[in-house]
Amino acid sequence: MSGAGPAGEALFGLREMELNFGPQHPATHGVMRLKLKVDGERIVDCYPIIGYLHRGTEKLFELHPFFQNVPHTDRLDYVAAATNNLAYVGAVEKLVGLEVPPRARYIRVILAELQRISSHLVWLATHAIDIGAMTPFFYCFREREVILDLFEQYCGARLTLNCMRPGGQPYDLPQGWVDRCGEFVADFPAKVAEYEGLLTENRIWKRRTVGVGVLPPETAIAYGVTGPMLRGSGVAWDLRKAMPYEAYGEVEFDVPVYANGDTYDRYLVRMEEMRQSARIVRQCLERLPGGPIMAKRPRVLKAAAEAEVYHAVEGPKGELGFYIVGDGGPNPYRCHVRPTSFMNLQALPEMARGALISDLVALIGTVDIVLGEIDR
Amino acid sequence: MSWSWLDWLREAVGQPQFTLLFAPAAKFLVAIFAIFLLIAYLVFAERRLLGFLQVRLGPNRVGPWGLLQPIADILKLLVKEDTIPNRAVRWAYLLAPCLVVAPALVIFSVVPFGPSPTAPGAPRWYVTDLNAALVFVVALASLGIYGIILGGWASNNKFSLLGGLRSAAQMVSYEVPQGLALVGPLMLAGSLSLVGIVEGQARLGLWFAVPQIVAFFVYFVAGVAETNRNPFDLPEAESELVAGFHTEYSGVRFALFFLGEYANMIVISAIAVTVFLGGWLRPFPSVEALAFLDLVPGVAWFFLKVFAFLFLFIWFRGTFPRFRFDQLMDLGWKWLIPLSLANVLVTGLVVVLVDRGP
């Protein structure tokens, strides 16, 4: 199998095989293409090629007024629309100077944390099925379905939620929603235990993930990696704790950090995050304040000329930021997204070099990319 | 039941032709037909069982409880277009699926499904009782892999090639412990014939799985690896190699690969049952108090045990992640082969010391 090194090349005319992994491949989670150089099954080099899903979203932002841009954000990280909304409306509110009423802030946190759970469920489902464990996929989607139902009852949509507005929330929580949501988050930790029962101590699972794709903390920081990937490398950095926004300063939760920086630790981080998210939602439901859900705001939002703002939130995958520049008109002059998956993807070739093709599949899973956000 | 019509047939065809050609051919056809039916419903049972394990329903729309689903699937596969990639190596591409199915089916010709009947003139429950059956089985079982390697190579697809390579490595690592695991029971029974081995277990009054528990374990693990089933389904790993060696195959030829995989599952189970779990024997064949279990015919016992194994295969698929290529080799070379070698040594010593040979 091996022997395509310099000596093998000279002696037998052997060379590395070039393998196009994607854009249509079940494990690339969308339309990413990896150009691989492989020596047998060992990856010599890995070069991600992106752009198959480019839609010019950032340009589109310039063509619409501030509040009409919320639906565009839904389509960035399309398995976590609520957190995209949150990051964008947060940036606009900072830019225009709007004070969000407390009830709206709590509703936002509830939606964002439910979204984090559902995004992590999609990650776990696909990660597990990539490594060959079929069953967790269906378990995860069973719970995700409940979350999507909750979203549907709140705003009518299941994936592209469009559920936040600059200045507050478009709708109040419908009748009975708090109880249904409370029921779900009360049950959820038991469901996480169920997934963990299938995987966490499974010897094959451990052999496939422990020590695979080790990302030392310095490398992770150098690549701008954030979110569970950074926390799996032992860096305790979570925007919800570090610079609390919305109602995160008022709830209690832990930020799980594991030190080894391998695929298994990143798995553990995300599993614990799901539990913590459920905990946050439970607290928010208990303390949900009354009052208005929308701030007093002008009919047309206008940013001051040359006003600029960067606002970031802790999305399910890491730091998701919006950089918006105003020009005095109702549209953003320029809007740039700091896409979490794009930054995290940069660390993939680093982790993949020297690994096997089977590991690559685990690594793509552990980076947790969504191409809608990478290509924009 | 009277078997006199068989005597009449024997007269009509002529004695040597009947025993050497006509009877085996007829029996083989019956066996193959039964196996095909079994495979079709094994696929169905697998899908329903997996559905049960995975909190969903599985196919339940075609016919009552979805029972006609396998028929619909077969029809679909038969009428689908059979594509051949432009730059495939044509002869090898066409030959490969047949190479997978044929050996698996031929193995059934030496498997005894039931005990020798007591009625005079009745046909026996096997196609033929080969005196070197065990060697025959091991030889044929390793032939099937060539189809996979050839198919992977001939498709002219890099993912298929990798699948074929993985399969080759898997064969090299797992043929050896599998063969070695069969040596233990062979020494205990003193016979290479599968019928002889079952009779040996009847003599001993004990399934060989008890004294040969290590060999049994090694054989089954190696068997799962041989059939390319989860957790050893590397050659066709959906998420890594996009179905591996059969990526390019469609229609009937894909169906043949599929058939081969399931036929191999049944073969591995049938051999494991015959060699280690007493074939057609009831549980605890020496315990008189359980004699009422003999009311269940031997064939039923045989298939009951085979189904238990098949259930295990499906259960594995619902539970385990997939091994990595190098870990699979590790397991084969560092664990299974030393284990089976040690087992051969110990068994040999015991057999010599106790002198329980024939």
Side-chain angles (χ1 to χ4, degrees), chain A residues 92-151:
Chain A
V92 173
E93 281 153 9
K94 253 190 200 173
L95 188 72
V96 184
L98 288 173
E99 188 61 38
V100 183
R103 186 173 174 84
R105 288 193 286 127
Y106 271 79
I107 295 176
R108 281 179 179 184
V109 169
I110 293 170
L111 291 173
E113 290 307 310
L114 284 178
Q115 187 74 79
R116 185 185 315 278
I117 296 177
S118 97
S119 168
H120 279 4
L121 285 175
V122 174
W123 157 78
L124 178 62
T126 49
H127 190 39
I129 212 167
D130 284 349
I131 295 186
M134 228 177 138
T135 306
F137 184 88
F138 295 96
Y139 288 7
C140 290
F141 270 63
R142 176 185 59 189
E143 270 71 70
R144 179 171 180 260
E145 203 61 23
V146 181
I147 297 179
L148 296 191
D149 284 345
L150 286 171
F151 283 147

Side-chain angles (χ1 to χ4, degrees), chain A residues 18-20 25-27 41 130-135 138-139 142 202 207-208 212 356-359 361, chain B residues 53-56 158-159 162 166 230-231 238-240 242 317-324 326-327 330:
Chain A
E18 221 169 67
L19 188 65
N20 267 314
H25 186 286
E41 292 240 350
D130 284 349
I131 295 186
M134 228 177 138
T135 306
F138 295 96
Y139 288 7
R142 176 185 59 189
N202 186 323
R207 289 187 75 170
R208 286 299 304 276
V212 170
L356 298 172
I357 290 182
S358 310
D359 291 333
V361 169
Chain B
L53 292 172
Q54 297 169 343
V55 290
R56 60 195 173 90
K158 286 172 182 170
F159 286 109
L162 284 173
R166 283 181 175 191
N230 200 300
E238 173 81 36
S239 55
E240 297 163 19
V242 212
R317 186 166 168 204
T319 311
F320 290 131
R322 188 182 300 119
F323 266 108
R324 205 170 68 192
D326 54 331
Q327 293 164 353
D330 270 9

Side-chain angles (χ1 to χ4, degrees), chain B residues 86-110:
Chain B
N86 237 346
R87 298 176 61 188
V89 182
R90 213 184 148 81
W91 65 268
Y93 185 83
L94 299 184
L95 181 68
C98 313
L99 266 183
V100 174
V101 179
L105 293 180
V106 173
I107 290 179
F108 286 109
S109 61
V110 293

Side-chain angles (χ1 to χ4, degrees), chain B residues 318-355:
Chain B
T319 311
F320 290 131
R322 188 182 300 119
F323 266 108
R324 205 170 68 192
F325 183 57
D326 54 331
Q327 293 164 353
L328 176 92
M329 306 286 271
D330 270 9
L331 184 71
W333 289 98
K334 293 188 188 158
W335 289 98
L336 296 186
I337 293 185
L339 261 179
S340 52
L341 271 175
N343 179 62
V344 168
L345 258 175
V346 173
T347 314
L349 272 175
V350 170
V351 167
V352 169
L353 290 179
V354 181
D355 198 27

Side-chain angles (χ1 to χ4, degrees), chain B residues 113-165:
Chain B
F113 297 102
S116 304
T118 42
R124 294 172 192 281
W125 279 101
Y126 47 77
V127 177
T128 168
D129 178 17
L130 206 60
N131 58 3
L134 217 49
V135 180
F136 180 75
V137 167
V138 173
L140 278 174
S142 53
L143 267 185
I145 309 285
Y146 288 101
I148 293 180
I149 300 174
L150 209 58
W153 169 72
S155 302
N156 197 8
N157 174 324
K158 286 172 182 170
F159 286 109
S160 301
L161 181 66
L162 284 173
L165 278 177

Side-chain angles (χ1 to χ4, degrees), chain A residues 57-339:
Chain A
T57 308
E58 288 178 358
K59 184 72 188 167
L60 282 174
F61 277 109
E62 297 167 16
L63 307 178
H64 297 105
F66 285 110
F67 66 93
Q68 281 187 8
N69 278 329
V70 180
H72 288 317
T73 65
D74 287 337
R75 286 150 181 85
L76 291 171
D77 178 355
Y78 44 73
V79 298
T83 30
N84 299 344
N85 293 168
L86 185 63
Y88 174 74
V89 296
V92 173
E93 281 153 9
K94 253 190 200 173
L95 188 72
V96 184
L98 288 173
E99 188 61 38
V100 183
R103 186 173 174 84
R105 288 193 286 127
Y106 271 79
I107 295 176
R108 281 179 179 184
V109 169
I110 293 170
L111 291 173
E113 290 307 310
L114 284 178
Q115 187 74 79
R116 185 185 315 278
I117 296 177
S118 97
S119 168
H120 279 4
L121 285 175
V122 174
W123 157 78
L124 178 62
T126 49
H127 190 39
I129 212 167
D130 284 349
I131 295 186
M134 228 177 138
T135 306
F137 184 88
F138 295 96
Y139 288 7
C140 290
F141 270 63
R142 176 185 59 189
E143 270 71 70
R144 179 171 180 260
E145 203 61 23
V146 181
I147 297 179
L148 296 191
D149 284 345
L150 286 171
F151 283 147
E152 190 179 2
Q153 287 156 14
Y154 176 67
C155 63
R158 294 164 67 82
L159 279 174
T160 50
L161 301 175
N162 187 18
C163 64
M164 293 171 198
R165 301 283 184 273
Q169 287 298 97
Y171 328 101
D172 206 341
L173 297 176
Q175 225 171 17
W177 198 89
V178 171
D179 296 334
R180 281 191 292 271
C181 184
E183 228 168 82
F184 171 74
V185 287
D187 287 350
F188 188 65
K191 302 288 163 77
V192 178
E194 207 170 278
Y195 317 141
E196 292 221 76
L198 269 171
L199 298 174
T200 305
E201 287 304 318
N202 186 323
R203 292 181 73 108
I204 305 179
W205 178 261
K206 277 185 130 172
R207 289 187 75 170
R208 286 299 304 276
T209 52
V210 173
V212 170
V214 178
L215 196 63
E218 309 82 49
T219 322
I221 293 171
Y223 276 105
V225 164
T226 48
M229 284 197 61
L230 188 63
R231 294 191 283 276
S233 293
V235 184
W237 177 254
D238 188 322
L239 288 176
R240 291 175 295 174
K241 275 269 194 244
M243 353 176 143
Y245 49 92
E246 307 300 340
Y248 282 110
E250 298 151 41
V251 289
E252 269 176 39
F253 63 98
D254 301 325
V255 177
V257 177
Y258 287 82
N260 294 329
D262 57 7
T263 305
Y264 187 65
D265 277 13
R266 291 188 280 268
Y267 158 81
L268 291 176
V269 166
R270 289 189 176 107
M271 294 312 266
E272 185 54 32
E273 278 192 12
M274 288 201 266
R275 289 209 186 86
Q276 294 299 332
S277 292
R279 192 172 148 204
I280 296 173
V281 174
R282 206 177 314 132
Q283 293 175 43
C284 287
L285 289 174
E286 278 163 12
R287 302 185 197 159
L288 195 63
I293 51 166
M294 182 60 88
K296 291 246 178 301
R297 56 165 200 183
R299 280 177 65 91
V300 177
L301 298 175
K302 278 183 184 166
E306 281 176 42
E308 58 176 354
V309 70
Y310 175 76
H311 178 71
V313 302
E314 184 73 24
K317 297 169 177 69
E319 176 180 339
L320 172 69
F322 277 83
Y323 169 71
I324 305 176
V325 181
D327 62 353
N331 294 8
Y333 172 73
R334 172 81 173 98
C335 178
H336 174 70
V337 185
R338 183 209 186 272

Side-chain angles (χ1 to χ4, degrees), chain B residues 16-317:
Chain B
Q17 290 92 331
F18 182 85
T19 354
L20 292 178
L21 193 69
F22 186 83
K27 277 181 181 173
F28 190 55
L29 281 180
V30 172
I32 296 258
F33 183 73
I35 296 295
F36 276 175
L37 211 67
L38 190 59
I39 289 171
Y41 279 91
L42 176 59
V43 178
F44 173 71
E46 171 166 30
R47 292 173 65 184
R48 287 310 295 261
L49 262 172
L50 276 180
F52 170 71
L53 292 172
Q54 297 169 343
V55 290
R56 60 195 173 90
L57 287 172
N60 66 345
R61 293 282 141 171
V62 190
W65 306 292
L67 276 174
L68 295 181
Q69 182 71 41
I71 313 290
D73 284 344
I74 292 168
L75 279 178
K76 181 199 76 173
L77 285 170
L78 285 179
V79 298
K80 264 192 149 180
E81 187 190 356
D82 176 20
T83 53
I84 302 176
N86 237 346
R87 298 176 61 188
V89 182
R90 213 184 148 81
W91 65 268
Y93 185 83
L94 299 184
L95 181 68
C98 313
L99 266 183
V100 174
V101 179
L105 293 180
V106 173
I107 290 179
F108 286 109
S109 61
V110 293
V111 177
F113 297 102
S116 304
T118 42
R124 294 172 192 281
W125 279 101
Y126 47 77
V127 177
T128 168
D129 178 17
L130 206 60
N131 58 3
L134 217 49
V135 180
F136 180 75
V137 167
V138 173
L140 278 174
S142 53
L143 267 185
I145 309 285
Y146 288 101
I148 293 180
I149 300 174
L150 209 58
W153 169 72
S155 302
N156 197 8
N157 174 324
K158 286 172 182 170
F159 286 109
S160 301
L161 181 66
L162 284 173
L165 278 177
R166 283 181 175 191
S167 187
Q170 208 160 317
M171 174 191 71
V172 172
S173 334
Y174 282 81
E175 282 290 288
V176 183
Q178 199 188 17
L180 284 174
L182 290 175
V183 174
L186 159 73
M187 285 195 283
L188 287 186
S191 165
L192 271 171
S193 143
L194 291 179
V195 179
I197 287 176
V198 177
E199 279 165 357
Q201 298 178 63
R203 263 202 313 280
L204 191 64
L206 202 61
W207 292 355
F208 281 161
V210 181
Q212 289 291 319
I213 181 78
V214 178
F216 177 53
F217 168 75
V218 170
Y219 177 83
F220 189 61
V221 173
V224 177
E226 279 265 313
T227 46
N228 298 332
R229 290 283 301 188
N230 200 300
F232 305 106
D233 57 342
L234 304 164
E236 50 177 285
E238 173 81 36
S239 55
E240 297 163 19
L241 299 184
V242 212
F245 62 90
H246 62 61
T247 305
E248 298 289 351
Y249 283 87
S250 66
V252 183
R253 275 170 228 289
F254 167 74
L256 282 179
F257 271 126
F258 205 68
L259 201 71
E261 179 184 326
Y262 283 84
N264 268 324
M265 269 164 74
I266 301 178
V267 163
I268 295 289
S269 311
I271 300 296
V273 165
T274 312
V275 175
F276 292 101
L277 293 188
W280 65 77
L281 301 175
R282 67 177 162 86
F284 308 105
S286 59
V287 180
E288 285 302 324
L290 292 173
F292 66 92
L293 288 176
D294 278 333
L295 289 176
V296 180
V299 193
W301 279 122
F302 179 85
F303 278 103
L304 217 61
K305 293 178 208 167
V306 168
F307 291 150
F309 268 107
L310 294 175
F311 175 72
L312 217 54
F313 272 103
I314 296 167
W315 196 6
F316 281 178
R317 186 166 168 204

